[in-house]
Amino acid sequence: MGPLYHPPFNSKNTPLCPFLTLPKLSPMADYDAPTHHPSLIQKETALQAINTIIQLHFEKTLEKKKAIDLQKKQLWKMFQRFFLYLSLIFLGQAISPKLQCRHCWIPIGLLSLAHMIFYVSVAQTLRCINGFKYQRRCHKLTLGLATERLRQVKMRVSGNGGVEENRDEFEICYQEPPESYFGKFKRNWALHFGFLIFIYGFMISSSVVMLCF
């Protein structure tokens, strides 16, 4: 069987109108490859991707919450041991008849060493707690954004049956809180530091009063 179309040729055996030349047909041209509806593929992919993001950040939020609770329990135990140590020093000064005003450097030295060690331990624990809180906040913001995007996708699908438009909206970026969020950490740090300074001053003044007056 000859070609489907013979374009006119000139003397140089080149087609006079090359745009009319039909492409060669493939031997498998009569067989149609299986096709999928593009909007259906995009809809399933978008919903699956957003659901995966939601599940991931939800699990991360719970994980950070457990880490925060664990650090808070350790901080509470540190406070209990610290106050137990202070009570022992205070009780020793109260019942010891040999301690006099010239021995003030002993309880003052012990109190200073205890407060210094306790301050370092509290600082490290608070740094961990604040870090976990910041990460948890980031995951919660990202989770909220992903949930909102999922709602929008479902509304668009129910409205026109496809989500092939605005593909950039399906990209969920990792969210971070504003700079003002760090003010919460600073206030928390200042509160603990002020509390330690108050306890240290109270114990030093109590030791001096008990031994010298």
Side-chain angles (χ1 to χ4, degrees):
M1 182 177 179
L4 295 178
Y5 177 76
H6 291 279
F9 290 82
N10 55 14
S11 59
K12 296 183 179 181
N13 199 26
T14 58
L16 296 177
C17 186
F19 296 100
L20 296 178
T21 304
L22 295 181
K24 295 182 179 180
L25 296 179
S26 172
M28 301 298 293
D30 295 336
Y31 297 92
D32 295 332
T35 58
H36 300 279
H37 200 279
S39 63
L40 179 61
I41 296 177
Q42 295 177 8
K43 179 185 70 173
E44 293 177 352
T45 304
L47 293 178
Q48 183 179 3
I50 297 178
N51 283 325
T52 302
I53 293 175
I54 291 176
Q55 181 66 23
L56 172 64
H57 288 283
F58 180 75
E59 294 176 355
K60 289 294 183 180
T61 302
L62 296 180
E63 178 182 343
K64 300 305 177 182
K65 180 63 169 59
K66 293 180 180 179
I68 293 173
D69 293 339
L70 180 60
Q71 292 294 326
K72 286 183 176 180
K73 290 181 179 179
Q74 294 181 358
L75 183 63
W76 177 245
K77 291 180 180 180
M78 290 168 52
F79 269 97
Q80 290 178 338
R81 296 171 183 174
F82 178 68
F83 281 107
L84 178 61
Y85 178 80
L86 296 183
S87 62
L88 292 177
I89 294 180
F90 189 83
L91 182 62
Q93 295 179 77
I95 64 176
S96 178
K98 296 182 180 181
L99 290 177
Q100 299 179 2
C101 187
R102 64 177 182 271
H103 300 136
C104 284
W105 63 271
I106 298 177
I108 291 176
L110 293 176
L111 291 172
S112 300
L113 180 62
H115 278 79
M116 185 179 300
I117 296 175
F118 183 69
Y119 174 77
V120 173
S121 302
V122 170
Q124 293 178 352
T125 306
L126 285 179
R127 187 178 294 110
C128 293
I129 292 176
N130 293 337
F132 287 139
K133 284 184 177 181
Y134 178 80
Q135 294 176 358
R136 181 170 179 261
R137 182 63 178 172
C138 293
H139 288 301
K140 289 181 68 176
L141 292 176
T142 309
L143 176 62
L145 177 61
T147 304
E148 179 64 20
R149 292 289 174 83
L150 180 63
R151 185 184 65 84
Q152 294 176 1
V153 169
K154 289 183 177 180
M155 291 179 59
R156 189 177 297 115
V157 169
S158 60
N160 54 23
V163 293
E164 64 276 9
E165 299 179 357
N166 300 328
R167 297 181 181 180
D168 294 338
E169 296 184 359
F170 305 143
E171 297 181 0
I172 309 298
C173 299
Y174 188 72
Q175 302 296 305
E176 295 183 358
E179 294 293 334
S180 58
Y181 184 75
F182 293 97
K184 178 181 179 180
F185 299 151
K186 296 179 180 179
R187 291 190 298 268
N188 192 19
W189 184 275
L191 179 62
H192 284 81
F193 182 74
F195 178 75
L196 290 178
I197 293 298
F198 173 77
I199 295 298
Y200 179 72
F202 175 78
M203 292 300 298
I204 294 298
S205 59
S206 299
S207 299
V208 174
V209 169
M210 291 179 61
L211 298 179
C212 299
F213 298 96

